[in-house]
Amino acid sequence: MEQRIEKIKQQLQAQSYKLTSQREAIVRILLQNEKDHLSAEEVFMLVREVEPDIGLATVYRTLELLTELKILHKMNFGDGVARYDLHTENSEHHHHHLVCVKCGAVDEIMDDMLGPIEQKVEKEYHFKILDHRLVFHGTCYRCTGLPKPDHLI
Amino acid sequence: MEQRIEKIKQQLQAQSYKLTSQREAIVRILLQNEKDHLSAEEVFMLVREVEPDIGLATVYRTLELLTELKILHKMNFGDGVARYDLHTENSEHHHHHLVCVKCGAVDEIMDDMLGPIEQKVEKEYHFKILDHRLVFHGTCYRCTGLPKPDHLI
DNA sequence: TTGGTTGCAAAGGTTTTGCAGAGTT
DNA sequence: AACTCTGCAAAACCTTTGCAACCAA
């Protein structure tokens, strides 16, 4: 935890940004909820328990800054709010999402599986791929009563 | 064109909705711009040339209705507006998008390619897939100076 | 002192909603 | 008449921005 905060601090300072107490509190919230995909409002609610005087605008500005620095992924599941996801060491380009249409849960697949498809796309569509987003909509194991898959965290 | 309008009319009437002149004008705009991914505002601008008195709210309500009836796909490329895509006979579950980070162009891949991945996901993650969204971000053939791929429309 | 940073409030942009009137069946 | 549908305006929402005060190097 402290290590990862330190790393982010360095990434900020490398561009002469500061890790203020507000920013640190936001990052800690993101680290503590790494499995979730929090919206700005959700981060705001959580961070307020630690930094009661923080403003919503600061949360938005911090999330935007962290997104620019590629520390966060900003994404959109179609529910009208942007959601954010911490980049962990090896998750950058290699995870997908399962969005349950019944309960709204969002699970992550840590397996990329798109390699062959990307090769085909680059070759057949002359498109240089930088990133991808793959989201499956359907019914999760909780809602179908199936056991929790071993592959999920 | 007329055939497809007729079909949509029937789909509406099956649920006792009407194909009013405003709705028909909107559907015609969508049919005429099938390759694009229009936003509500863009549909509004185009449809106003035909139905000058139409209101923006009607456009939103119609797009929502057509989405509920699965005639349209509502999607989100992260630019702050929802975009809509007509379901053609065989495109329903089987096309992806290439979003160019340089020029903003959105091209379509008509090839599904996800079959094997979906099987794996259903099996390993106990997730019953109803739909998927796959978007690649990168540089398109126009911006890299490559020839137009045969696979694109 | 010079910049970056913050909270607040206001503004911006997209989408939804309330309502009375109009149109259909 | 009952019901859907429409346009308008207002509201609701999420997000961004202007600004004066604040803080750290």
Side-chain angles (χ1 to χ4, degrees), chain B:
Chain B
M1 173 87 159
E2 301 310 318
Q3 264 187 40
R4 298 182 59 189
I5 300 249
E6 189 58 33
K7 185 175 173 191
I8 290 170
K9 185 177 181 178
Q10 285 167 17
Q11 286 176 269
L12 285 167
Q13 287 177 342
Q15 319 250 351
S16 69
Y17 294 118
K18 297 163 193 165
L19 184 64
T20 61
S21 69
Q22 290 94 331
R23 287 180 183 167
E24 182 172 337
I26 290 169
V27 170
R28 285 186 187 277
I29 292 298
L30 292 168
L31 283 166
Q32 283 160 22
N33 296 274
E34 209 169 358
K35 293 183 291 291
D36 298 326
H37 304 79
L38 301 177
S39 65
E41 190 72 30
E42 287 164 348
V43 172
F44 180 55
M45 304 285 257
L46 291 167
V47 91
R48 257 218 289 207
E49 295 170 13
V50 181
E51 287 261 340
D53 291 339
I54 199 171
L56 180 55
T58 300
V59 173
Y60 273 105
R61 281 189 282 233
T62 300
L63 294 174
E64 194 198 347
L65 176 61
L66 296 177
T67 302
E68 269 168 28
L69 297 185
K70 314 258 185 209
I71 294 168
L72 283 183
H73 239 322
K74 181 178 185 175
M75 61 191 111
N76 215 306
F77 294 126
D79 58 349
V81 292
R83 297 184 172 279
Y84 298 85
D85 205 11
L86 262 182
H87 267 194
T88 55
E89 270 74 56
N90 42 16
S91 75
E92 315 219 349
H93 189 227
H94 309 298
H95 73 291
H96 314 305
H97 293 97
L98 301 175
V99 178
C100 180
V101 297
K102 282 205 165 178
C103 70
V106 179
D107 293 311
E108 282 193 14
I109 300 183
M110 296 312 292
D111 198 350
D112 187 350
M113 304 182 286
L114 284 181
I117 292 182
E118 292 201 342
Q119 281 178 30
K120 190 173 173 189
V121 168
E122 296 217 344
K123 192 172 155 199
E124 296 190 356
Y125 294 87
H126 302 168
F127 189 85
K128 182 80 188 67
I129 295 172
L130 296 170
D131 197 5
H132 60 227
R133 308 290 163 97
L134 175 55
V135 181
F136 293 102
H137 294 263
T139 320
C140 73
Y141 69 92
R142 303 171 197 84
C143 292
T144 47
L146 289 167
K148 177 169 180 176
D150 298 336
H151 292 81
L152 284 181
I153 316 155

Side-chain angles (χ1 to χ4, degrees), chain A residues 18 20 22-23 54 58 61:
Chain A
K18 296 163 193 166
T20 62
Q22 291 95 331
R23 288 181 182 165
I54 198 171
T58 300
R61 280 188 283 233

